[in-house]
Amino acid sequence: MNPSLVQQRCRPVSGAPLADADAAALLAQVPGWQRVRTPAGQSAIERHYAFADFHRSMGFANAVAYLCNREDHHPDLALSYGGCTVRFNTHSVGGLSVNDFICAALVDALLPA
């Protein structure tokens, strides 16, 4: 049995991005995330988190930065007064890799269910 995404850690990846079917199966394991396209046209996953104020949004963004730096897999963050949008894709493969879904699960685990 494969460990859940939150139990895994990111590893260096290269080669081709995940096949659509593999990406869809992993996306099903991170509810609330959706597939999007980056400005460069690459496939990515993204989720918006809403907060009551800027202080909470900033605290969340800092926690995401710490966690993703530990994993050496860095997202694009869009921070606002009442929220933070997190987007992952893997530049080394030009699209999605398992690392994107691992980090999405780890980010979700920062907040209560």
Side-chain angles (χ1 to χ4, degrees):
M1 180 177 184
N2 291 334
S4 71
L5 289 169
V6 78
Q7 294 172 317
Q8 297 179 50
R9 294 295 173 252
C10 293
R11 298 176 306 187
V13 294
S14 61
L18 289 172
D20 284 340
D22 294 331
L26 288 167
L27 187 62
Q29 296 180 47
V30 286
W33 289 81
Q34 61 182 345
R35 273 182 91 164
V36 297
R37 290 272 174 207
T38 69
Q42 296 178 350
S43 193
I45 57 172
E46 179 177 282
R47 182 171 181 182
H48 180 77
Y49 297 86
F51 298 99
D53 55 41
F54 186 72
H55 177 76
R56 287 177 178 84
S57 296
M58 193 67 188
F60 175 76
N62 285 328
V64 170
Y66 177 83
L67 174 108
C68 292
N69 198 54
R70 181 190 74 193
E71 294 299 319
D72 197 25
H73 193 69
H74 307 98
D76 291 326
L77 300 175
L79 185 65
S80 65
Y81 175 86
C84 183
T85 300
V86 182
R87 181 174 45 211
F88 286 105
N89 80 315
T90 304
H91 302 287
S92 64
V93 301
L96 292 170
S97 76
V98 68
N99 289 346
D100 301 308
F101 297 94
I102 291 169
C103 283
L106 291 170
V107 168
D108 283 346
L110 291 172
L111 300 172

XYZ file of all heavy atoms in Angstrom:
848
model
N 0.841 -1.190 0.000
C 0.000 0.000 0.000
C 0.881 1.248 0.000
O 1.847 1.327 0.736
C -0.913 -0.031 1.218
C -1.824 1.144 1.311
S -2.911 0.930 2.742
C -3.908 2.346 2.539
N 0.534 2.220 -0.806
C 1.286 3.465 -0.873
C 0.969 4.343 0.337
O -0.177 4.412 0.760
C 0.932 4.240 -2.146
C 1.441 3.550 -3.386
O 2.413 2.814 -3.338
N 0.787 3.783 -4.495
N 1.982 5.024 0.864
C 1.696 5.955 1.970
C 0.870 7.132 1.458
O 0.923 7.487 0.278
C 3.083 6.397 2.431
C 3.986 6.144 1.284
C 3.392 4.998 0.509
N 0.093 7.731 2.359
C -0.685 8.900 1.949
C 0.268 10.023 1.553
O 1.436 10.033 1.938
C -1.604 9.346 3.082
O -0.853 9.921 4.126
N -0.248 10.967 0.808
C 0.588 12.072 0.333
C 1.245 12.818 1.490
O 2.403 13.200 1.409
C -0.242 13.034 -0.514
C -0.663 12.522 -1.881
C -1.694 13.451 -2.508
C 0.553 12.372 -2.787
N 0.526 13.030 2.576
C 1.057 13.796 3.695
C 2.190 13.065 4.415
O 2.988 13.686 5.120
C -0.083 14.226 4.654
C -0.517 13.083 5.543
C 0.291 15.441 5.450
N 2.309 11.775 4.204
C 3.387 10.992 4.808
C 4.633 10.933 3.925
O 5.657 10.428 4.352
C 2.912 9.563 5.083
C 1.829 9.484 6.126
C 1.253 8.092 6.218
O 1.003 7.432 5.207
N 1.031 7.645 7.435
N 4.545 11.455 2.711
C 5.664 11.412 1.778
C 6.471 12.699 1.842
O 6.024 13.696 2.400
C 5.155 11.184 0.359
C 4.443 9.849 0.186
C 3.939 9.670 -1.214
O 4.687 9.854 -2.179
N 2.667 9.320 -1.361
N 7.634 12.670 1.263
C 8.497 13.851 1.162
C 8.901 14.041 -0.296
O 9.007 13.084 -1.068
C 9.753 13.693 2.032
C 9.452 13.660 3.519
C 8.867 15.005 3.973
N 8.399 14.996 5.335
C 7.128 15.007 5.706
N 6.169 14.994 4.820
N 6.789 15.025 6.971
N 9.139 15.284 -0.660
C 9.522 15.603 -2.038
C 10.918 15.083 -2.344
O 11.785 15.060 -1.480
C 9.487 17.110 -2.255
S 7.827 17.803 -2.170
N 11.087 14.668 -3.594
C 12.393 14.225 -4.102
C 12.658 14.927 -5.424
O 11.714 15.331 -6.108
C 12.374 12.716 -4.332
C 12.141 11.893 -3.076
C 12.030 10.447 -3.410
N 10.984 10.296 -4.438
C 10.526 9.159 -4.881
N 11.022 8.049 -4.462
N 9.582 9.110 -5.786
N 13.915 15.054 -5.792
C 14.210 15.653 -7.097
C 13.550 14.849 -8.220
O 13.536 13.610 -8.181
C 15.731 15.571 -7.195
C 16.208 15.483 -5.781
C 15.134 14.725 -5.048
N 12.979 15.547 -9.182
C 12.338 14.891 -10.324
C 12.822 15.542 -11.607
O 13.214 16.706 -11.634
C 10.794 14.957 -10.253
C 10.253 14.150 -9.094
C 10.301 16.387 -10.165
N 12.784 14.767 -12.669
C 13.108 15.277 -14.002
C 12.321 14.443 -14.996
O 11.646 13.485 -14.631
C 14.609 15.186 -14.266
O 15.040 13.847 -14.202
N 12.401 14.810 -16.237
C 11.695 14.062 -17.276
C 10.379 14.722 -17.625
O 10.248 15.943 -17.591
N 9.407 13.901 -17.918
C 8.105 14.378 -18.369
C 7.170 14.631 -17.189
O 7.308 14.004 -16.142
C 7.475 13.349 -19.303
N 6.209 15.534 -17.368
C 5.203 15.734 -16.321
C 4.306 14.511 -16.204
O 4.298 13.632 -17.073
C 4.426 16.956 -16.800
C 4.676 17.061 -18.252
C 6.009 16.419 -18.509
N 3.542 14.463 -15.117
C 2.597 13.368 -14.915
C 1.601 13.283 -16.069
O 1.176 14.314 -16.613
C 1.805 13.589 -13.625
C 2.532 13.412 -12.306
C 1.642 13.871 -11.155
C 2.959 11.972 -12.106
N 1.218 12.063 -16.401
C 0.147 11.856 -17.370
C -1.156 12.384 -16.769
O -1.317 12.427 -15.547
C 0.022 10.366 -17.695
N -2.085 12.782 -17.612
C -3.351 13.343 -17.140
C -4.076 12.416 -16.169
O -4.610 12.871 -15.156
C -4.262 13.685 -18.311
C -3.840 14.950 -19.041
O -3.091 15.768 -18.452
O -4.260 15.128 -20.200
N -4.101 11.127 -16.454
C -4.797 10.175 -15.581
C -4.134 10.100 -14.207
O -4.819 10.038 -13.183
C -4.842 8.788 -16.230
N -2.804 10.126 -14.177
C -2.084 10.087 -12.901
C -2.316 11.372 -12.111
O -2.525 11.339 -10.899
C -0.587 9.877 -13.134
C -0.281 8.512 -13.731
O -1.046 7.551 -13.482
O 0.724 8.413 -14.462
N -2.299 12.506 -12.796
C -2.555 13.790 -12.135
C -3.979 13.831 -11.586
O -4.205 14.304 -10.466
C -2.306 14.943 -13.092
N -4.938 13.313 -12.339
C -6.339 13.292 -11.883
C -6.500 12.420 -10.647
O -7.227 12.777 -9.713
C -7.253 12.820 -13.007
N -5.821 11.281 -10.611
C -5.902 10.394 -9.447
C -5.309 11.060 -8.206
O -5.860 10.946 -7.107
C -5.190 9.075 -9.743
N -4.198 11.762 -8.371
C -3.590 12.457 -7.238
C -4.430 13.663 -6.819
O -4.561 13.942 -5.616
C -2.168 12.882 -7.585
C -1.153 11.738 -7.669
C 0.141 12.221 -8.315
C -0.892 11.162 -6.288
N -5.018 14.363 -7.780
C -5.855 15.512 -7.463
C -7.045 15.101 -6.600
O -7.462 15.851 -5.710
C -6.323 16.187 -8.753
C -7.068 17.513 -8.605
C -6.183 18.568 -7.948
C -7.546 17.987 -9.969
N -7.559 13.918 -6.822
C -8.683 13.416 -6.018
C -8.295 13.245 -4.550
O -9.164 13.209 -3.677
C -9.181 12.090 -6.596
N -6.996 13.145 -4.263
C -6.526 12.968 -2.886
C -6.344 14.298 -2.155
O -6.052 14.305 -0.957
C -5.210 12.193 -2.881
C -5.338 10.774 -3.403
C -4.013 10.053 -3.365
O -3.304 10.081 -2.373
N -3.662 9.416 -4.481
N -6.492 15.422 -2.854
C -6.349 16.747 -2.235
C -7.587 17.590 -2.558
O -7.540 18.491 -3.399
C -5.029 17.446 -2.646
C -3.845 16.824 -1.945
C -4.815 17.426 -4.154
N -8.697 17.306 -1.872
C -9.937 18.044 -2.131
C -9.729 19.548 -1.945
O -8.997 19.989 -1.065
C -10.906 17.503 -1.078
C -10.333 16.189 -0.647
C -8.845 16.304 -0.818
N -10.390 20.316 -2.795
C -10.284 21.767 -2.722
C -9.269 22.342 -3.694
O -9.287 23.537 -3.981
N -8.381 21.512 -4.190
C -7.373 21.950 -5.173
C -7.955 21.750 -6.566
O -8.747 20.835 -6.798
C -6.086 21.151 -5.010
C -5.348 21.515 -3.768
C -5.605 21.060 -2.503
C -4.251 22.418 -3.653
N -4.723 21.632 -1.606
C -3.875 22.467 -2.285
C -3.537 23.189 -4.560
C -2.838 23.253 -1.824
C -2.493 23.973 -4.110
C -2.150 24.007 -2.747
N -7.538 22.594 -7.495
C -7.995 22.464 -8.874
C -6.822 22.608 -9.832
O -5.833 23.254 -9.506
C -9.061 23.501 -9.192
C -8.585 24.929 -9.049
C -9.705 25.922 -9.321
O -10.738 25.583 -9.878
N -9.491 27.162 -8.949
N -6.960 21.998 -10.975
C -5.940 22.154 -12.020
C -6.140 23.475 -12.723
O -7.265 23.862 -13.037
C -6.031 21.012 -13.035
C -5.229 19.806 -12.614
C -5.287 18.725 -13.647
N -4.180 18.870 -14.591
C -3.806 17.907 -15.408
N -4.443 16.751 -15.426
N -2.792 18.092 -16.229
N -5.029 24.159 -12.955
C -5.034 25.441 -13.662
C -3.845 25.465 -14.607
O -3.006 24.559 -14.590
C -4.960 26.639 -12.675
C -6.183 26.679 -11.766
C -3.681 26.614 -11.866
N -3.746 26.498 -15.389
C -2.593 26.725 -16.267
C -1.809 27.912 -15.722
O -2.385 28.914 -15.296
C -3.030 27.035 -17.694
C -3.627 25.854 -18.398
C -2.549 25.054 -19.057
N -3.109 23.844 -19.619
C -2.415 22.754 -19.787
N -1.141 22.709 -19.460
N -2.960 21.686 -20.297
N -0.490 27.799 -15.747
C 0.357 28.921 -15.365
C 0.377 29.923 -16.507
O -0.043 29.600 -17.632
C 1.805 28.454 -15.087
O 2.403 28.041 -16.320
C 1.849 27.333 -14.062
N 0.866 31.143 -16.281
C 0.995 32.095 -17.390
C 1.847 31.550 -18.541
O 1.646 31.932 -19.692
C 1.656 33.310 -16.730
C 1.209 33.234 -15.303
C 1.174 31.761 -14.992
N 2.763 30.625 -18.242
C 3.596 30.022 -19.286
C 2.898 28.852 -19.978
O 3.474 28.216 -20.853
C 4.922 29.557 -18.691
N 1.666 28.543 -19.566
C 0.902 27.471 -20.195
C 1.134 26.089 -19.618
O 0.655 25.099 -20.166
N 1.865 25.997 -18.512
C 2.103 24.699 -17.881
C 0.948 24.345 -16.951
O 0.293 25.214 -16.393
C 3.404 24.721 -17.091
C 4.634 24.923 -17.933
C 5.896 24.978 -17.098
O 5.864 25.045 -15.881
N 7.037 24.956 -17.771
N 0.731 23.062 -16.770
C -0.287 22.590 -15.846
C 0.187 22.809 -14.407
O 1.367 22.636 -14.093
C -0.555 21.105 -16.104
O -1.714 20.694 -15.438
N -0.739 23.206 -13.547
C -0.435 23.462 -12.142
C -1.668 23.096 -11.316
O -2.740 22.830 -11.875
C -0.081 24.927 -11.927
N -1.512 23.088 -9.995
C -2.654 22.948 -9.098
C -2.683 24.171 -8.190
O -1.637 24.728 -7.844
C -2.649 21.635 -8.288
C -1.369 21.479 -7.472
C -2.893 20.447 -9.209
C -1.401 20.287 -6.494
N -3.897 24.560 -7.796
C -4.056 25.806 -7.054
C -5.218 25.679 -6.071
O -6.194 24.979 -6.327
C -4.339 26.916 -8.060
C -4.548 28.280 -7.494
C -4.742 29.291 -8.604
O -3.735 29.702 -9.216
O -5.911 29.654 -8.869
N -5.066 26.395 -4.945
C -6.152 26.476 -3.965
C -6.100 27.833 -3.279
O -5.023 28.345 -2.986
C -6.028 25.370 -2.926
C -7.169 25.397 -1.925
C -7.206 24.215 -1.020
N -8.355 24.353 -0.135
C -8.652 23.498 0.813
N -7.905 22.424 0.997
N -9.695 23.700 1.587
N -7.279 28.383 -3.021
C -7.386 29.637 -2.273
C -7.842 29.321 -0.853
O -8.768 28.549 -0.646
C -8.375 30.598 -2.931
C -8.503 31.880 -2.185
N -7.550 32.875 -2.255
C -9.449 32.312 -1.320
C -7.905 33.867 -1.467
N -9.058 33.549 -0.895
N -7.165 29.931 0.106
C -7.510 29.804 1.523
C -7.974 31.173 2.008
O -7.275 32.170 1.818
C -6.288 29.373 2.337
C -5.763 28.010 1.955
C -4.854 27.868 0.911
C -6.171 26.869 2.637
C -4.365 26.618 0.560
C -5.685 25.619 2.286
C -4.786 25.501 1.252
O -4.302 24.270 0.894
N -9.154 31.236 2.624
C -9.703 32.500 3.121
C -9.415 32.641 4.610
O -9.471 31.653 5.366
C -11.205 32.544 2.874
N -9.109 33.886 5.018
C -8.826 34.200 6.416
C -9.555 35.473 6.813
O -9.942 36.275 5.961
C -7.318 34.347 6.634
C -6.564 33.084 6.351
C -5.918 32.906 5.132
C -6.526 32.052 7.276
C -5.245 31.736 4.850
C -5.859 30.874 6.996
C -5.212 30.708 5.789
N -9.715 35.681 8.116
C -10.477 36.816 8.636
C -9.750 38.143 8.480
O -10.391 39.191 8.448
C -10.823 36.584 10.108
N -8.429 38.103 8.389
C -7.688 39.355 8.320
C -6.292 39.117 7.754
O -5.882 37.978 7.522
C -7.609 40.027 9.693
C -7.037 39.122 10.770
O -6.064 38.383 10.510
O -7.569 39.148 11.896
N -5.571 40.220 7.542
C -4.243 40.143 6.946
C -3.258 39.398 7.842
O -2.411 38.651 7.360
C -3.720 41.550 6.634
C -2.408 41.534 5.892
C -2.351 41.138 4.568
C -1.240 41.901 6.523
C -1.151 41.115 3.875
C -0.030 41.884 5.844
C 0.012 41.487 4.518
N -3.368 39.597 9.136
C -2.463 38.925 10.073
C -2.525 37.402 9.910
O -1.500 36.732 9.856
C -2.807 39.337 11.511
C -1.990 38.669 12.552
N -0.680 39.028 12.810
C -2.277 37.640 13.382
C -0.201 38.251 13.761
N -1.150 37.409 14.126
N -3.721 36.867 9.817
C -3.882 35.414 9.649
C -3.411 34.956 8.263
O -2.799 33.895 8.123
C -5.316 35.016 9.917
C -5.665 35.073 11.398
C -7.143 34.746 11.625
N -7.472 34.743 13.039
C -7.775 35.824 13.754
N -7.794 37.014 13.164
N -8.070 35.733 15.031
N -3.703 35.757 7.248
C -3.234 35.432 5.891
C -1.714 35.379 5.855
O -1.113 34.457 5.282
C -3.726 36.473 4.879
O -5.120 36.474 4.781
N -1.079 36.362 6.471
C 0.384 36.429 6.486
C 0.982 35.287 7.292
O 1.996 34.700 6.885
C 0.829 37.783 7.056
C 2.259 38.080 6.828
S 2.522 38.302 5.062
C 4.268 38.406 5.037
N 0.376 34.953 8.420
C 0.851 33.822 9.220
C 0.793 32.526 8.431
O 1.724 31.712 8.470
N -0.296 32.331 7.704
C -0.426 31.140 6.864
C 0.638 31.129 5.783
O 1.298 30.103 5.552
C -1.828 31.097 6.246
C -2.025 29.970 5.278
C -2.208 28.674 5.722
C -2.041 30.210 3.909
C -2.398 27.630 4.819
C -2.219 29.179 3.012
C -2.402 27.888 3.469
N 0.826 32.266 5.101
C 1.841 32.337 4.041
C 3.229 32.024 4.592
O 4.019 31.322 3.944
C 1.820 33.714 3.384
N 3.544 32.511 5.768
C 4.839 32.213 6.386
C 4.974 30.732 6.718
O 6.045 30.147 6.532
C 5.057 33.072 7.634
C 5.406 34.493 7.297
O 6.035 34.771 6.284
N 4.976 35.416 8.140
N 3.896 30.116 7.204
C 3.933 28.678 7.502
C 4.126 27.872 6.214
O 4.895 26.902 6.187
C 2.657 28.256 8.224
N 3.447 28.267 5.141
C 3.611 27.600 3.844
C 5.050 27.750 3.364
O 5.669 26.780 2.899
C 2.613 28.150 2.805
C 2.941 27.651 1.399
C 1.188 27.784 3.185
N 5.606 28.950 3.501
C 6.985 29.186 3.062
C 7.955 28.296 3.829
O 8.862 27.696 3.228
C 7.351 30.661 3.246
N 7.781 28.180 5.124
C 8.659 27.341 5.930
C 8.559 25.877 5.507
O 9.564 25.208 5.272
C 8.308 27.486 7.418
C 9.137 26.592 8.293
C 10.409 26.977 8.708
C 8.667 25.343 8.686
C 11.183 26.144 9.498
C 9.443 24.505 9.467
C 10.697 24.910 9.876
O 11.456 24.072 10.646
N 7.328 25.393 5.397
C 7.094 23.994 5.033
C 7.665 23.675 3.652
O 8.357 22.668 3.477
C 5.582 23.726 5.044
C 5.152 22.376 4.552
C 4.685 21.548 5.731
C 4.040 22.528 3.542
N 7.407 24.534 2.685
C 7.845 24.261 1.317
C 9.351 24.431 1.160
O 9.966 23.737 0.348
C 7.077 25.137 0.337
S 5.329 24.675 0.270
N 9.949 25.303 1.936
C 11.400 25.413 1.908
C 12.031 24.130 2.434
O 13.029 23.650 1.894
C 11.866 26.632 2.705
C 13.277 27.013 2.353
O 13.588 27.218 1.191
N 14.125 27.100 3.345
N 11.437 23.562 3.466
C 11.906 22.275 4.003
C 11.832 21.183 2.941
O 12.718 20.330 2.840
C 11.061 21.885 5.226
C 11.492 20.572 5.866
C 10.504 20.099 6.896
N 9.332 19.579 6.187
C 8.179 19.317 6.759
N 7.988 19.567 8.034
N 7.172 18.826 6.062
N 10.790 21.212 2.132
C 10.607 20.217 1.073
C 11.400 20.566 -0.186
O 11.457 19.772 -1.114
C 9.122 20.063 0.726
C 8.292 19.481 1.840
C 8.735 18.092 2.249
O 9.065 17.267 1.371
O 8.747 17.828 3.471
N 11.970 21.758 -0.253
C 12.681 22.255 -1.430
C 11.784 22.217 -2.670
O 12.193 21.832 -3.760
C 13.984 21.490 -1.660
C 14.933 22.224 -2.601
O 14.835 23.463 -2.699
O 15.758 21.554 -3.262
N 10.533 22.606 -2.465
C 9.554 22.652 -3.557
C 8.673 23.871 -3.305
O 7.798 23.853 -2.456
C 8.731 21.363 -3.601
C 7.948 21.218 -4.862
N 8.558 20.996 -6.080
C 6.620 21.284 -5.107
C 7.629 20.919 -7.019
N 6.454 21.095 -6.451
N 8.922 24.932 -4.038
C 8.392 26.246 -3.703
C 7.194 26.628 -4.563
O 7.271 26.551 -5.789
C 9.510 27.280 -3.813
C 10.704 26.884 -3.002
N 11.799 26.258 -3.557
C 10.936 26.965 -1.681
C 12.677 25.993 -2.596
N 12.179 26.410 -1.454
N 6.118 27.091 -3.926
C 4.915 27.485 -4.667
C 4.954 28.946 -5.087
O 5.805 29.724 -4.648
C 3.818 27.287 -3.620
C 4.486 27.702 -2.343
C 5.909 27.163 -2.474
N 3.992 29.306 -5.903
C 3.665 30.704 -6.135
C 2.577 31.048 -5.124
O 1.605 30.285 -4.956
C 3.134 30.930 -7.552
C 4.202 30.738 -8.608
O 5.377 31.068 -8.329
O 3.867 30.256 -9.702
N 2.739 32.159 -4.417
C 1.769 32.606 -3.429
C 1.208 33.958 -3.845
O 1.964 34.842 -4.250
C 2.412 32.755 -2.051
C 3.036 31.506 -1.430
C 3.733 31.862 -0.122
C 1.976 30.443 -1.200
N -0.096 34.120 -3.723
C -0.748 35.410 -3.929
C -1.442 35.756 -2.618
O -2.397 35.080 -2.210
C -1.747 35.344 -5.073
N -0.951 36.768 -1.947
C -1.402 37.131 -0.608
C -2.284 38.367 -0.665
O -1.963 39.327 -1.369
C -0.171 37.391 0.262
C -0.370 37.684 1.725
C -0.953 36.470 2.434
C 0.958 38.061 2.350
N -3.381 38.341 0.086
C -4.259 39.502 0.175
C -4.727 39.660 1.612
O -4.417 38.828 2.473
C -5.459 39.337 -0.763
O -6.268 38.251 -0.352
N -5.480 40.713 1.863
C -5.966 40.976 3.210
C -6.684 39.758 3.789
O -6.443 39.372 4.922
C -6.917 42.187 3.217
C -7.533 42.420 4.578
C -6.860 43.170 5.526
C -8.769 41.873 4.916
C -7.405 43.381 6.790
C -9.314 42.072 6.164
C -8.634 42.824 7.108
O -9.175 43.005 8.356
N -7.560 39.167 3.018
C -8.395 38.085 3.530
C -8.098 36.722 2.961
O -8.953 35.835 3.000
N -6.889 36.500 2.437
C -6.633 35.173 1.905
C -5.264 35.001 1.288
O -4.478 35.938 1.180
N -5.031 33.767 0.898
C -3.773 33.400 0.257
C -4.077 32.307 -0.771
O -4.719 31.303 -0.443
C -2.780 32.885 1.293
S -1.145 32.482 0.623
N -3.640 32.525 -1.997
C -3.764 31.512 -3.043
C -2.402 30.860 -3.225
O -1.385 31.538 -3.334
C -4.249 32.135 -4.360
O -5.529 32.743 -4.140
C -4.371 31.085 -5.453
N -2.402 29.530 -3.220
C -1.178 28.739 -3.334
C -1.249 27.963 -4.641
O -2.252 27.299 -4.922
C -1.035 27.758 -2.145
C 0.254 26.963 -2.240
C -1.135 28.496 -0.810
N -0.187 28.059 -5.450
C -0.136 27.329 -6.722
C 1.174 26.562 -6.815
O 2.243 27.115 -6.595
C -0.265 28.272 -7.910
C -0.247 27.499 -9.237
C -0.517 28.348 -10.436
N 0.229 29.577 -10.403
C -0.208 30.721 -10.943
N -1.373 30.791 -11.544
N 0.542 31.792 -10.890
N 1.076 25.279 -7.157
C 2.242 24.422 -7.335
C 2.322 23.913 -8.762
O 1.312 23.526 -9.354
C 2.162 23.177 -6.431
C 2.413 23.435 -4.987
C 1.363 23.453 -4.081
C 3.696 23.642 -4.514
C 1.586 23.676 -2.733
C 3.935 23.865 -3.167
C 2.874 23.879 -2.273
N 3.524 23.876 -9.295
C 3.872 23.086 -10.460
C 5.374 22.838 -10.390
O 6.064 23.432 -9.564
C 3.425 23.730 -11.777
C 4.349 24.816 -12.261
O 4.773 25.671 -11.497
N 4.655 24.786 -13.546
N 5.855 21.918 -11.189
C 7.262 21.520 -11.134
C 7.960 21.997 -12.392
O 7.731 21.455 -13.479
C 7.384 19.988 -10.977
O 6.656 19.598 -9.804
C 8.831 19.556 -10.847
N 8.788 23.020 -12.235
C 9.462 23.619 -13.386
C 10.371 22.623 -14.101
O 10.473 22.640 -15.325
C 10.255 24.849 -12.945
C 9.396 25.874 -12.299
N 8.513 26.670 -13.000
C 9.252 26.225 -10.994
C 7.870 27.469 -12.169
N 8.297 27.231 -10.942
N 11.011 21.722 -13.346
C 11.971 20.788 -13.957
C 11.318 19.791 -14.900
O 12.002 19.196 -15.730
C 12.776 20.052 -12.875
O 11.928 19.240 -12.085
N 9.992 19.592 -14.789
C 9.302 18.694 -15.714
C 8.327 19.448 -16.619
O 7.679 18.852 -17.473
C 8.572 17.536 -14.983
C 9.543 16.708 -14.182
C 7.423 18.038 -14.133
N 8.180 20.751 -16.412
C 7.288 21.545 -17.251
C 5.823 21.272 -17.021
O 5.016 21.359 -17.939
N 5.459 20.936 -15.800
C 4.057 20.651 -15.477
C 3.942 20.103 -14.074
O 4.608 20.569 -13.157
N 3.123 19.085 -13.923
C 2.865 18.519 -12.600
C 3.718 17.293 -12.320
O 3.959 16.472 -13.203
C 1.385 18.133 -12.478
C 0.408 19.310 -12.459
C -1.022 18.818 -12.588
C 0.589 20.127 -11.188
N 4.150 17.193 -11.061
C 4.830 15.994 -10.565
C 4.181 15.611 -9.241
O 3.390 16.382 -8.676
C 6.331 16.254 -10.354
O 6.546 17.011 -9.172
N 4.529 14.466 -8.733
C 3.992 14.026 -7.446
C 4.347 15.027 -6.344
O 3.592 15.200 -5.382
C 4.444 12.588 -7.107
C 5.935 12.531 -6.828
C 3.646 12.024 -5.941
N 5.468 15.728 -6.477
C 5.862 16.710 -5.466
C 4.796 17.792 -5.270
O 4.602 18.270 -4.152
C 7.194 17.362 -5.832
C 8.364 16.430 -5.689
O 8.271 15.369 -5.080
N 9.489 16.818 -6.254
N 4.120 18.177 -6.321
C 3.082 19.201 -6.217
C 1.938 18.720 -5.318
O 1.430 19.478 -4.491
C 2.546 19.558 -7.603
C 3.652 20.074 -8.506
O 4.368 21.003 -8.095
O 3.810 19.526 -9.611
N 1.582 17.477 -5.453
C 0.476 16.918 -4.675
C 0.900 16.627 -3.234
O 0.105 16.791 -2.312
C -0.060 15.672 -5.380
C -0.632 16.006 -6.730
C 0.149 15.895 -7.869
C -1.922 16.475 -6.864
C -0.350 16.227 -9.110
C -2.446 16.826 -8.104
C -1.659 16.693 -9.231
N 2.145 16.228 -3.041
C 2.671 16.049 -1.684
C 2.608 17.382 -0.944
O 2.095 17.467 0.185
C 4.112 15.500 -1.710
C 4.134 14.055 -2.211
C 4.757 15.616 -0.329
C 5.532 13.525 -2.525
N 3.100 18.443 -1.572
C 3.090 19.754 -0.918
C 1.672 20.265 -0.710
O 1.387 20.885 0.318
C 3.935 20.740 -1.701
S 5.703 20.511 -1.433
N 0.769 20.011 -1.641
C -0.626 20.419 -1.457
C -1.205 19.751 -0.205
O -1.859 20.410 0.607
C -1.449 20.059 -2.690
N -0.949 18.464 -0.033
C -1.445 17.751 1.149
C -0.806 18.289 2.425
O -1.478 18.443 3.452
C -1.181 16.258 1.003
N 0.479 18.599 2.372
C 1.161 19.137 3.545
C 0.633 20.524 3.900
O 0.463 20.847 5.084
C 2.675 19.180 3.307
C 3.372 17.819 3.222
C 4.813 17.990 2.740
C 3.322 17.092 4.554
N 0.357 21.354 2.901
C -0.219 22.673 3.157
C -1.598 22.527 3.780
O -1.934 23.202 4.762
C -0.256 23.523 1.863
C -1.105 24.770 2.041
C 1.152 23.902 1.438
N -2.429 21.636 3.241
C -3.757 21.407 3.817
C -3.662 20.993 5.287
O -4.506 21.370 6.104
C -4.512 20.336 3.039
C -5.072 20.833 1.723
O -5.122 22.067 1.500
O -5.475 19.980 0.904
N -2.636 20.220 5.620
C -2.483 19.716 6.990
C -2.121 20.836 7.978
O -2.191 20.622 9.193
C -1.416 18.622 7.026
N -1.746 22.009 7.488
C -1.464 23.136 8.371
C -2.720 23.648 9.079
O -2.633 24.265 10.135
C -0.840 24.300 7.583
C 0.552 24.101 7.046
C 0.929 25.265 6.121
C 1.563 23.984 8.183
N -3.877 23.419 8.488
C -5.137 23.946 9.019
C -6.026 22.822 9.543
O -5.956 21.710 9.047
C -5.866 24.719 7.921
C -5.099 25.921 7.352
C -5.841 26.480 6.151
C -4.928 26.977 8.417
N -6.866 23.149 10.510
C -7.801 22.124 10.991
C -8.765 21.686 9.882
O -9.090 22.475 8.997
C -8.544 22.809 12.127
C -8.265 24.257 11.998
C -7.048 24.430 11.151
N -9.178 20.452 9.946
C -10.082 19.908 8.914
C -11.448 20.530 8.963
O -11.886 21.095 9.878
C -10.209 18.408 9.083
